[in-house]
Amino acid sequence: MESEERVFAAGQGEAAEADQRAEESAAKPVRLTARDANLLGHLAVARYLNSRQIAQLVFPGCGDRVVRRRLNLLAAPAGAGAHIAALKYRSYNGTPMIVWKLTELGYARAERALGRELKIPAKDVGHQLLEHTISLNELYVALASSGRDNRAGAQLDAAPARQPFRWISSESARLPWAQYQRDRSEMQSRRIEPDAILESAPAARRWFLECEMGGHSLSNPDENSGSTLSKLRRYSEFYSGYAEGGGRLTYYLKNYPDGWPGELVFLVPTPGRRAGILQTIEAWRKEEGQLGAMKSSSILQVRALTFEEAPAVIRGLLVGGEISPAATAAALATPKAAVLIGEEATRLMTFTARLYDRFKELRAEARALGRPIPAYPSEDERTFVVELLARKGIRRTA
């Protein structure tokens, strides 16, 4: 897709023409489609998305011109006002970029799409945090568009409200708590602010997401440094520390009475950064004496994933599964390898079953006509596939 700056610049003429046409036609309001409702819902959940991410979510298979035209129409101040607005910023390397956000009207319409009341952010995040947010939202986009048919004209993806997970952006992910300071003999107000929180009702699990772009220290012990170590300590105290002196209620359970296990996930851009964070986690475990109790439900579980490997791993976790680091590394090492879950795996096995049945028919036809009978590529693999399809309920064995 074109760069965000080119997309925005190319669309300004179209936006101006749309404004003029709107004025000439008594400023008729934009008629929202089902696709528009999904777009507004995704923006309400993620808060900021670039044009490429929006195209992947709600315009599968459509060309750049289609996407650009619709975005500029929704951003044109016609009728009751614009539904979305563009924000310009520069990336870390100075490249001009564009992201899209909701207007107040957009939030009002998004509430209908999501079926719940939304908190409108008081102000936009600083430009230095926009690239950080867009990088984090790559995971949201990958999860929300997983397993969908991306052909032009394909059925729309499920609305954000019907996704098999809940994504809570940083604006609504703040977790206030209070910790007793023995040296001061007083309660001190504290707060954890994840970059996002991901929840899965089917898996009954919760993940606190921290997007690490590499700008902070790994092991600086200063609580205000923003280092990986300081985050580990804060999250651990929140998750495992007791909120009441004589009770057994942790700060985490006080905020989340559902009792779902929680996990801290660091998302990083490179394998090198991931390796550094994993070393920091291991050193922290040793320092805190947690190695012998890492499987305990009262101990904070932590993992680090690159942006590239996170979607496949998280997809497995959302349905209550687990993908081993070795399996993930193997899948990523081979460009054509893929981790299949849920509907993807079922569709592949259904197709395989139909191929197998057709091959059997061809063998029977060859036998009836006295022709050479084509052999199965491998009897062992054939037996394995037949047993697998039967086990998964795709095809019954004879």
Side-chain angles (χ1 to χ4, degrees):
M1 194 166 187
E2 301 177 46
S3 70
E4 297 296 319
E5 181 66 13
R6 289 175 60 195
V7 168
F8 182 78
Q12 294 311 293
E14 295 179 9
E17 292 175 6
D19 289 347
Q20 183 177 357
R21 287 195 301 269
E23 292 176 0
E24 293 173 352
S25 60
K28 295 180 180 179
V30 175
R31 187 181 185 89
L32 294 182
T33 65
R35 191 190 299 273
D36 295 332
N38 279 358
L39 189 159
L40 299 180
H42 284 302
L43 273 175
V45 173
R47 191 174 179 187
Y48 301 106
L49 293 169
N50 61 32
S51 297
R52 177 185 55 76
Q53 292 170 331
I54 291 173
Q56 183 175 339
L57 283 168
V58 296
F59 293 92
C62 295
D64 296 346
R65 182 178 177 82
V66 173
V67 179
R68 183 169 63 241
R69 184 170 60 242
R70 196 61 190 174
L71 289 177
N72 282 301
L73 181 61
L74 292 173
H83 292 81
I84 63 176
L87 282 181
K88 288 185 178 183
Y89 73 101
R90 290 188 177 273
S91 65
Y92 293 134
N93 61 12
T95 304
M97 306 293 286
I98 294 292
V99 296
W100 298 90
K101 67 168 189 173
L102 291 180
T103 63
E104 186 173 351
L105 175 61
Y107 272 104
R109 298 293 174 84
E111 287 184 346
R112 301 181 192 175
L114 295 175
R116 57 185 171 88
E117 187 176 351
L118 297 171
K119 178 182 178 182
I120 302 178
K123 59 181 180 180
D124 290 314
V125 302
H127 286 196
Q128 68 277 13
L129 292 178
L130 280 174
E131 185 167 4
H132 176 277
T133 303
I134 291 298
S135 296
L136 172 65
N137 286 346
E138 286 290 340
L139 176 59
Y140 171 77
V141 173
L143 296 177
S145 58
S146 174
R148 189 189 56 202
D149 189 342
N150 287 321
R151 294 173 301 172
Q155 184 178 3
L156 289 176
D157 61 315
R162 296 195 297 273
Q163 293 291 338
F165 63 86
R166 186 183 180 206
W167 181 280
I168 305 169
S169 63
S170 59
E171 183 71 19
S172 303
R174 295 169 180 171
L175 304 171
W177 54 298
Q179 183 181 36
Y180 182 73
Q181 299 292 312
R182 288 189 175 86
D183 56 341
R184 300 180 181 179
S185 298
E186 64 181 15
M187 297 297 292
Q188 180 181 5
S189 297
R190 308 188 69 181
R191 186 171 65 184
I192 289 179
E193 297 185 11
D195 290 322
I197 299 175
L198 182 65
E199 299 179 341
S200 169
R205 295 175 69 176
R206 179 175 291 108
W207 297 269
F208 300 105
L209 306 179
E210 286 287 343
C211 182
E212 293 273 341
M213 301 298 289
H216 289 99
S217 165
L218 292 174
S219 56
N220 188 336
D222 185 353
E223 184 175 318
N224 298 318
S225 66
S227 70
T228 302
L229 179 59
S230 66
K231 290 178 181 178
L232 285 169
R233 288 175 172 172
R234 287 202 306 275
Y235 274 100
S236 180
E237 183 62 32
F238 170 75
Y239 191 78
S240 305
Y242 293 118
E244 301 171 0
R248 304 296 294 175
L249 186 67
T250 63
Y251 299 109
Y252 173 78
L253 291 177
K254 190 172 182 179
N255 277 270
Y256 296 105
D258 55 34
W260 293 357
E263 183 174 0
L264 173 60
V265 180
F266 289 101
L267 300 173
V268 297
T270 65
R273 182 70 178 182
R274 178 191 59 194
I277 288 181
L278 290 176
Q279 291 176 357
T280 302
I281 294 172
E282 182 179 3
W284 167 70
R285 293 282 190 205
K286 292 178 179 179
E287 177 187 346
E288 300 294 326
Q290 295 180 336
L291 291 180
M294 284 183 62
K295 294 298 182 181
S296 169
S297 61
S298 64
I299 298 298
L300 177 67
Q301 304 300 309
V302 188
R303 75 174 73 212
L305 301 168
T306 64
F307 294 131
E308 182 183 8
E309 66 192 6
V313 175
I314 299 298
R315 285 189 197 112
L317 297 175
L318 286 174
V319 295
E322 178 71 75
I323 299 177
S324 68
T328 301
L332 291 172
T334 306
K336 293 184 180 179
V339 178
L340 299 179
I341 61 169
E343 183 184 358
E344 295 173 328
T346 300
R347 290 176 64 181
L348 177 61
M349 286 190 288
T350 300
F351 179 71
T352 302
R354 290 173 180 171
L355 283 180
Y356 174 71
D357 290 340
R358 179 56 183 151
F359 193 76
K360 285 182 65 178
E361 292 174 1
L362 292 175
R363 282 170 57 90
E365 291 173 4
R367 187 180 295 108
L369 295 173
R371 296 175 180 174
I373 302 174
Y376 291 108
S378 167
E379 282 295 330
D380 290 340
E381 292 302 321
R382 183 192 72 84
T383 301
F384 167 76
V385 169
V386 170
E387 292 178 349
L388 175 63
L389 295 175
R391 199 162 60 242
K392 296 297 183 180
I394 303 296
R395 181 183 183 280
R396 293 183 179 181
T397 54

